[in-house]
Amino acid sequence: MHKVLLFTFMLILFNAAYGQQRLVYNNKFFILDPIPTVSIINNNAVTHKKTQGIASPVINVGPLSGTIKTCAHVASTTFQQFTISGDNLTSDLQVSAPYVNAYDDTYTPPTFIGYISGFEISTTPNDPASFSHLLTLPQVNGKVATITIYVRMSADNVHPNYPAIIEANTDGIPSKNIYYGDIKGSQTPLPDVDVSNQTICNNTLTAKITFKGRSEETTGKSYTWVNDNTAIGLAANGTGDIPSFIGKNSGTEPLRANVTVTPVGDCMGMPQTFHIVVNPTLHPVLTVSTLTPIVCTGATITFTATPKNVGDLPIYKWLINGKFDGGNTITGDNTLVYTSDKLKNGDKVTCTVTGATYCYTPVTSDPFTVNMIPLPQVHFDNSSYTIYPGQSVQLNAIANSSVNGYSWSPTTGLSNPGIANPIARPSETTLYKLTTSTAGGCTADASVTVNVVPRPDVYVNVFTPNGDGVNDTWTVPKLVNFPNCSVKIYNRYGGLVYQSIGYSKPWDGTFKSKPLPVGSYYYLIDLNTGDPPISGYVCILR
């Protein structure tokens, strides 16, 4: 009678280049370490070569049955199983599902993936804690009775496509692969869910919340959710997508609800939490004021906004005549203070507040109307006056009706420095500044010069009109400043030899175009200023 052995064949190739075995699985090469001892793999028995005169130990392995199927990160509760027994044993029988090094043979050289320890074994499948990577089956009188070994996929199996390697050994039989590639399982990815937060205003609609996975493979068949704050207008729990609903918040602070959603498919996914925030409806109040409600034209004015009930992080915007700039230079946007020196009388200044995290229609303060007092207008009928020493002149300031105050500087030589038209009698040329003011305290300045022409002095009393171009005329410095003066010159006999009104052309020592003889001549200069005439002698030399 012939004993028929039923073999289950796996294609195992030896890679001489890397000292490794390659396992063909799912039409893809995987390399597994360590290299197992060459052995016979069948569904009946694994035997070792018989030693002379001694019965060889025998490990009997039964057929494989069952299916392993589980969810990612969860140890399987379904198993593949086989029976095992031993005869002629001198030591206990050990069965293991060892760690192996996994390589991806699609790269050259093959790329190390990691240590694969994705399967565990037990003889008591109803006790999850009994599963491990090594079982020791005690031999009694050289035998291990037939016992069923259950194989499950472990919870930490991160490479579910790799099959299990099951080994058995005892004294006299080195480690043998009793199952190599036949034991494998399927792992269903856990469904997940992609969620995002929402923030809305009171009495406004949320966006519809549609639950789906981060990929098509991980999208659940259904989703359940729990809401921890029903005050926002959402039920405490539900199944499936969350339709758009009107958010509610009757308080004054933001209302937050945490919604935890759990994806469900063939496996139950990890719960994810997102939040929905409903901001309250606020009724802010904003007023604008200034410490200087009345200012002079062109003056700098500062406004301050006083807010109430505006929530967190309000945004302020200042407007002039309803516009963001109004042609003015504005400082103070998004602050409570606005300062400008470009405002005009009648401009209307307002401040608008908008909520950044709270919900309300932008609110604008009542307008503050700029009240600017016109500056006084003042000028003089002449830009300057000219007088002679000892003379006086009335300064004629012309101002508009708003002026009610006058102040002259300097006050030297003025009859009254507090009136519009004082009499000025300075002893030297003086620039007078007039400051005018209005009842509102606005001021304007104007200036006028009083030129004091000094009395001429006759320094030269000798000249030589000989035509040599040197000292040919009688010069009197500063006499040109007196265009109305009268100059007369007499000889020793009292005869008039020269006269002129003004002295723009100095005397050349002639009379009727003829040279006068050498000698002394008497001069009489009347400045026509009311002062005494200037007189003396001038001598002609040849």
Side-chain angles (χ1 to χ4, degrees):
M1 179 177 180
H2 297 283
K3 187 175 182 179
V4 179
L5 299 179
L6 176 62
F7 290 92
T8 299
F9 291 99
M10 294 294 296
L11 179 58
I12 302 175
L13 304 178
F14 182 74
N15 187 336
Y18 300 106
Q20 298 162 325
Q21 284 190 358
R22 299 187 181 187
L23 167 64
V24 180
Y25 178 67
N26 284 348
N27 296 319
K28 184 176 181 181
F29 280 101
F30 294 101
I31 300 176
L32 301 176
D33 270 341
I35 300 174
T37 304
V38 176
S39 59
I40 299 173
I41 305 173
N42 56 61
N43 288 340
N44 289 310
V46 176
T47 63
H48 189 267
K49 183 177 179 181
K50 182 175 181 181
T51 303
Q52 184 68 32
I54 301 175
S56 298
V58 176
I59 300 175
N60 303 296
V61 181
L64 186 67
S65 64
T67 301
I68 300 175
K69 184 176 183 180
T70 188
C71 298
H73 311 298
V74 178
S76 66
T77 57
T78 59
F79 316 101
Q80 283 188 292
Q81 62 261 0
F82 60 90
T83 60
I84 191 169
S85 63
D87 293 302
N88 305 324
L89 304 181
T90 59
S91 65
D92 295 338
L93 178 60
Q94 289 190 327
V95 182
S96 64
Y99 290 81
V100 295
N101 296 339
Y103 296 83
D104 187 345
D105 196 34
T106 59
Y107 296 92
T108 303
T111 301
F112 176 71
I113 295 175
Y115 294 100
I116 305 302
S117 60
F119 290 88
E120 299 167 317
I121 54 180
S122 175
T123 58
T124 54
N126 294 328
D127 180 9
S130 68
F131 281 85
S132 67
H133 294 285
L134 176 66
L135 293 178
T136 298
L137 306 178
Q139 60 86 18
V140 178
N141 296 323
K143 291 182 176 291
V144 172
T146 301
I147 190 170
T148 301
I149 304 296
Y150 297 88
V151 184
R152 76 174 185 183
M153 186 177 289
S154 63
D156 58 356
N157 190 336
V158 294
H159 298 285
N161 292 329
Y162 278 83
I165 297 175
I166 305 299
E167 297 179 345
N169 69 82
T170 185
D171 286 350
I173 300 180
S175 180
K176 304 296 183 182
N177 290 331
I178 58 176
Y179 279 106
Y180 191 174
D182 290 336
I183 297 179
K184 50 188 176 291
S186 64
Q187 190 181 81
T188 302
L190 294 182
D192 57 23
V193 61
D194 192 11
V195 296
S196 59
N197 302 321
Q198 288 194 42
T199 299
I200 63 169
C201 297
N202 179 40
N203 287 325
T204 61
L205 285 170
T206 64
K208 179 183 177 181
I209 302 172
T210 301
F211 297 123
K212 62 180 181 178
R214 295 184 177 91
S215 67
E216 182 177 352
E217 183 183 30
T218 61
T219 296
K221 295 180 179 179
S222 64
Y223 294 88
T224 61
W225 50 266
V226 176
N227 167 31
D228 70 354
N229 192 346
T230 59
I232 67 167
L234 178 65
N237 54 70
T239 301
D241 297 338
I242 300 178
S244 177
F245 66 93
I246 297 176
K248 296 295 183 180
N249 185 352
S250 59
T252 59
E253 298 294 331
L255 197 59
R256 172 172 172 150
N258 297 303
V259 180
T260 300
V261 57
T262 301
V264 180
D266 292 334
C267 301
M268 182 170 291
M270 295 296 293
Q272 297 290 327
T273 299
F274 64 97
H275 64 253
I276 301 173
V277 174
V278 181
N279 283 321
T281 300
L282 298 182
H283 303 283
V285 176
L286 195 63
T287 58
V288 169
S289 62
T290 178
L291 296 177
T292 53
I294 300 176
V295 296
C296 301
T297 298
T300 298
I301 184 169
T302 297
F303 295 90
T304 300
T306 303
K308 182 179 179 182
N309 201 28
V310 294
D312 295 333
L313 303 177
I315 300 172
Y316 298 99
K317 194 75 175 179
W318 291 89
L319 300 94
I320 309 301
N321 300 321
K323 299 179 180 179
F324 287 126
D325 56 321
N328 297 284
T329 300
I330 290 182
T331 58
D333 274 1
N334 205 24
T335 71
L336 292 173
V337 177
Y338 157 63
T339 299
S340 177
D341 60 356
K342 306 298 182 183
L343 296 174
K344 302 182 295 297
N345 187 49
D347 280 347
K348 298 185 182 302
V349 179
T350 55
C351 185
T352 297
V353 61
T354 303
T357 59
Y358 288 76
C359 305
Y360 50 84
T361 302
V363 172
T364 300
S365 68
D366 290 336
F368 190 102
T369 302
V370 176
N371 186 357
M372 286 193 166
I373 302 173
L375 297 178
Q377 303 294 320
V378 61
H379 65 280
F380 293 94
D381 57 354
N382 289 303
S383 60
S384 65
Y385 301 92
T386 300
I387 62 173
Y388 303 108
Q391 287 186 325
S392 62
V393 64
Q394 186 172 29
L395 305 181
N396 294 314
I398 301 171
N400 59 9
S401 60
S402 64
V403 175
N404 66 352
Y406 300 87
S407 178
W408 291 87
S409 177
T411 61
T412 304
L414 297 181
S415 61
N416 187 342
I419 62 175
N421 307 110
I423 302 298
R425 191 183 180 91
S427 59
E428 59 184 354
T429 298
T430 302
L431 175 66
Y432 288 104
K433 176 183 176 182
L434 173 61
T435 299
T436 58
S437 59
T438 63
C442 300
T443 62
D445 299 331
S447 298
V448 65
T449 299
V450 177
N451 297 301
V452 178
V453 180
R455 184 181 179 88
D457 294 320
V458 181
Y459 298 110
V460 179
N461 56 11
V462 175
F463 70 108
T464 57
N466 54 13
D468 63 359
V470 178
N471 203 26
D472 284 337
T473 60
W474 181 49
T475 59
V476 181
K478 301 181 181 179
L479 192 57
V480 70
N481 295 325
F482 296 83
N484 296 321
C485 70
S486 171
V487 179
K488 294 179 180 181
I489 302 175
Y490 299 88
N491 60 22
R492 69 176 61 188
Y493 305 109
L496 182 65
V497 296
Y498 175 86
Q499 68 174 348
S500 70
I501 300 299
Y503 198 64
S504 59
K505 183 178 181 180
W507 180 45
D508 60 1
T510 64
F511 176 64
K512 294 182 179 181
S513 302
K514 294 180 179 181
L516 290 172
V518 173
S520 295
Y521 294 84
Y522 178 76
Y523 63 84
L524 182 66
I525 301 173
D526 187 355
L527 299 176
N528 288 319
T529 61
D531 294 328
I534 303 170
S535 61
Y537 290 91
V538 61
C539 182
I540 296 177
L541 298 177
R542 300 287 183 188

